[in-house]
Structures are given as structure tokens and as C-alpha cells.
Amino acid sequence: LAEDHRALVAEVRNLAAAQARTEQRLEALAQAQARTEQRLEELAEDHRALVAEVRNLAAAQIRTEQRLEELAAEHTKTRRLLGDLSMTVGYTLENAAYKALPALLERDYGLIVEGRLKRGYLTARDGRQLEINILGRGRRNGEEVIIIGESKAQLSKNNIERFLKRKLKLLPDLGAPVFVIFITHMTSEADAEAYAREQGAAVYYSYDF
């Protein structure tokens, strides 16, 4: 009987120790679970913050795109206004030239304008219609000439080069020599006028009118 009692006591002790280990293990698992839940809550909070930030960025992007559209519309409007203003300045310069050039050309070049100077179009060799700022006919030393002119608010050597080598070279034989005129408010380079005259072109300023 004593032997059985001792065995039972030993068994109870083993069970108690096992229970203690189990409880320790359960406590460790409970602590790990608590840490996991805390981490999950932190991740959930980070996720909520990230979602909010993404929404804020999306809203900011929408506002930015709206502003860009507004700026693009304003830019288009400004460019249109500048284009209209540039055309108005150009037309004003040309209108004054049509009236003043006949007397100036006769005085300076012995060129008699026949009819009137005007804006017009000439057909290029490839069939395109080229806009000409100053167009007319006249006689010089008894010979017919075609008067072709370009107006620029500020005349540069590049303007002269482009007109002579890109526009005039596209024209077919007009049946008479071409007399070229440039009219401007001001040159953008000190030697632009001299360059034009070297190419055989006349240059007049708005204050000549």
C-alpha cells in the first residue's frame, strides 16, 4: 500500500509539473497572441493611414489636373490674344505702307506703282497658296516688275533669309522681275537692314510712312 501511495504521489507531482509547464506554455502563447494582435492593430492603423494618404493624393491629383486644364485654357486664350494683337500690329503696319510706298518707291528707286498695293496670294510651284503681305505691279525704267513685300514688327536677318530662300524660291516664274520690300518698326540686329539691301531688297520703317 505504501508503495502504491508513493507511486500515486509521484504521478500527481508529474501531473502538477506538466500542468505548470502547460500553463507556462499557454501564458507564452497568450503573450504571443497579444503581441500578434497588437501588431495587427498597428498594421491596420498603418493601412488606414495609407488609405487616407492615397485618397488625399488622389484628390490632390484631381485638383492639380483641374488647375492644369485651367492653365492650359488660359494659355490658349493668351496665345490667341497675342496672335490677334500681332495680326493687328502687322495689319496696321501694312495699311500704312500701302498708302506711303508708291511715293517712296518712285522717289528712291524710280519705280512707278501701277494700280494699288494690297495683301494677296501667289500660287507656289507645288500648288500651295502663299500669303503675301505686300503685292502689286509697277514699272521701273520702262520694264514691268512684280512688287512682293514682307512685314515684320521686328525684322531680323533670319526673317530676311527665310523670306528670300523659302518663300520666294517656291514661286514659279511670274513673267517679270521681282522687286522685294521689307517693312518693319525696328530691326532686331544692327546689320539687318544692310543685309537686306545686299540681297537687293528695299527696307522701310513705319516712321517712313
Side-chain angles (χ1 to χ4, degrees), residues 32-180:
Q33 178 66 18
R35 290 194 298 271
T36 300
E37 291 176 353
Q38 181 179 0
R39 181 56 181 158
L40 285 173
E41 180 60 30
E42 292 173 353
L43 289 173
E45 184 64 29
D46 290 343
H47 178 71
R48 287 191 290 270
L50 181 60
V51 169
E53 182 65 20
V54 169
R55 288 174 178 168
N56 290 336
L57 288 173
Q61 177 67 18
I62 291 172
R63 291 193 298 272
T64 299
E65 290 175 354
Q66 290 174 341
R67 182 55 181 156
L68 284 174
E69 290 178 0
E70 291 171 359
L71 288 173
E74 291 172 4
H75 179 65
T76 300
K77 182 179 179 181
T78 300
R79 289 188 62 183
R80 186 167 56 249
L81 289 173
L82 286 174
D84 292 345
L85 179 60
S86 177
M87 289 180 64
T88 299
V89 171
Y91 287 154
T92 301
L93 178 62
E94 292 162 19
N95 290 343
Y98 300 143
K99 298 177 182 178
L101 281 175
L104 293 171
L105 292 173
E106 183 177 3
R107 181 194 70 187
D108 298 333
Y109 297 95
L111 195 162
I112 308 299
V113 176
E114 296 181 339
R116 64 191 179 102
L117 300 175
K118 60 180 181 178
R119 298 180 189 91
Y121 293 88
L122 291 174
T123 303
R125 286 192 295 269
D126 59 7
R128 284 185 295 159
Q129 295 296 305
L130 302 180
E131 182 181 348
I132 307 297
N133 299 149
I134 301 172
L135 182 61
R137 291 180 176 272
R139 289 194 173 273
R140 187 182 186 190
N141 299 323
E143 295 183 352
E144 183 181 13
V145 296
I146 307 296
I147 301 167
I148 297 179
E150 177 87 340
S151 69
K152 289 291 180 183
Q154 194 171 35
L155 184 66
S156 69
K157 288 190 289 186
N158 282 337
N159 298 147
I160 297 165
E161 189 81 5
R162 281 197 297 269
F163 183 75
L164 295 176
K165 295 191 176 179
R166 295 185 186 178
K167 183 172 282 190
L168 289 188
K169 282 196 172 181
L170 295 176
L171 295 174
D173 184 3
L174 299 176
V178 173
F179 186 90
V180 179

